[in-house]
Amino acid sequence: MTNQALEVTGLRKRYKGFALKDVTFSLPRGYVMGLVGPNGAGKTTIIKLIMNLVRREAGEIRVFGLDNRRDEAAVKARIGFVYDEPGFHQDVTLADTKRAIAPFYRRWNERLFQDLARRFELPLRHKVKTLSQGMLTKFALALALAHEADLLILDEPTSGLDPVFRRELLHGLSGLLQNEETSILFSTHITTDLERIADYVTVLRDGAVALTASRDELRERWAIVRGGDEALAALAPPLWRGVRRHAYGVDVLTSDVEAARRTCGTGAVIDRASLDDVVVLLDREVPHA
């Protein structure tokens, strides 16, 4: 049995004006990976390729060791998928939508669904067209969780939710991982959400992987060096991972905080980099990138 929930290797897909370029990353069983990057970086395209909603041109995608195209039915039975814009039929109630979807899943748990419906305060007798985007996202999450998926793939699931429910949702997702079996791929632009639950982060830029690392590595090794131009001059270019210039000096993103401390001494302030710092500054104004 493989220890990887998801393995993406050399993935390529080309559209007019955009291309995925040899995207490679992996997600171990029982962990959360955040897939982050600016709009148009390729997050949704990667998710559609994993779900085989579009056809890849090159590369390989394996889910629990199974090829996502050759073993599509077995793969999708183990995935809970939440789109950024759930595409439910507008003139059907939530209850009828659930009744149509449930038979497709061998592991459907009706008691769990009803518990989630109560917790999310879902109006099951209401038609889809009468409900807000946030409520439909909650419904999609209930459907995904109710068939006891081994891998949850969430495409911007918190973007339409209020802050209170967003926090409750993230807490609930963390609870799913206590059995060390459920894995989550979480695409979002809200980096504070990922800092709460992500074990791994993959950052995309223009269709390519700019960084894939564990949250612990980011916390322990990545930092912001703050100072004047002399601070930038003191750092050898291999230590640069991003640069931001402003009226009061220079901020330099580095992935080797210990080397930065040795190089800069007391001539600069060194702060731990947040995930938002990494996403915003990575490869920015770096000559060798």
Side-chain angles (χ1 to χ4, degrees):
M1 181 177 69
T2 179
N3 290 324
Q4 301 298 320
L6 175 66
E7 299 167 276
V8 175
T9 308
L11 191 61
R12 295 183 189 178
K13 177 67 178 179
R14 188 180 304 276
Y15 294 102
K16 184 177 181 179
F18 172 78
L20 287 182
K21 311 175 190 77
D22 295 318
V23 169
T24 297
F25 64 88
S26 60
L27 170 61
R29 286 175 180 255
Y31 291 92
V32 179
M33 172 171 282
L35 195 61
V36 294
N39 289 337
K43 301 186 298 294
T44 296
T45 298
I46 290 171
I47 288 175
K48 287 181 177 179
L49 287 164
I50 293 170
M51 296 302 299
N52 201 26
L53 298 175
V54 295
R55 304 289 280 184
R56 63 181 182 259
E57 294 170 8
E60 185 177 48
I61 300 171
R62 302 190 74 81
V63 180
F64 300 106
L66 302 175
D67 183 272
N68 78 314
R69 293 197 308 198
R70 186 172 58 250
D71 306 300
E72 183 173 10
V75 165
K76 287 187 174 179
R78 300 182 68 177
I79 292 177
F81 185 23
V82 177
Y83 297 84
D84 56 343
E85 295 182 1
F88 303 120
H89 195 288
Q90 294 293 300
D91 287 316
V92 178
T93 66
L94 298 189
D96 287 340
T97 301
K98 184 269 300 183
R99 278 192 284 271
I101 291 173
F104 286 95
Y105 294 101
R106 179 175 54 83
R107 293 162 59 182
W108 180 265
N109 186 329
E110 182 64 21
R111 178 178 294 179
L112 176 57
F113 175 81
Q114 294 299 332
D115 287 344
L116 290 166
R118 284 190 291 272
R119 175 183 166 190
F120 294 170
E121 298 180 342
L122 295 176
L124 295 179
R125 295 182 180 180
H126 289 209
K127 290 186 176 182
V128 167
K129 65 183 179 183
T130 67
L131 302 176
S132 68
Q133 177 68 27
M135 189 61 70
L136 292 178
T137 298
K138 293 178 185 181
F139 178 57
L141 283 165
L143 293 174
L145 294 170
H147 69 86
E148 299 179 344
D150 298 312
L151 172 63
L152 290 177
I153 297 181
L154 311 177
D155 189 8
E156 298 281 0
T158 61
S159 60
L161 303 178
D162 64 82
V164 173
F165 185 78
R166 246 185 36 233
R167 186 178 291 269
E168 291 177 356
L169 170 63
L170 295 172
H171 179 74
L173 291 176
S174 297
L176 284 175
L177 302 178
Q178 292 180 359
N179 62 9
E180 299 183 353
E181 290 294 331
T182 306
S183 310
I184 301 173
L185 180 66
F186 192 123
S187 165
T188 184
H189 65 280
I190 306 174
T191 55
T192 52
D193 287 350
L194 294 182
E195 293 206 328
R196 291 192 180 100
I197 67 167
D199 304 293
Y200 295 89
V201 175
T202 293
V203 181
L204 299 172
R205 284 279 189 278
D206 298 322
V209 173
L211 168 72
T212 185
S214 70
R215 182 176 59 178
D216 290 343
E217 179 184 344
L218 293 176
R219 285 176 170 174
E220 293 168 7
R221 294 180 54 84
W222 289 68
I224 301 289
V225 181
R226 307 184 193 277
D229 286 336
E230 69 280 1
L232 178 60
L235 285 173
L239 294 178
W240 301 355
R241 296 303 301 271
V243 179
R244 174 170 53 202
R245 302 176 187 275
H246 49 82
Y248 303 100
V250 182
D251 296 341
V252 180
L253 177 69
T254 180
S255 59
D256 193 337
V257 64
E258 294 303 324
R261 288 194 180 107
R262 291 193 301 269
T263 302
C264 295
T266 59
V269 175
I270 300 178
D271 296 325
R272 183 177 73 85
S274 68
L275 179 55
D276 193 59
D277 290 328
V278 173
V279 172
V280 171
L281 289 180
L282 186 65
D283 292 341
R284 179 175 172 179
E285 294 189 29
V286 179
H288 67 281

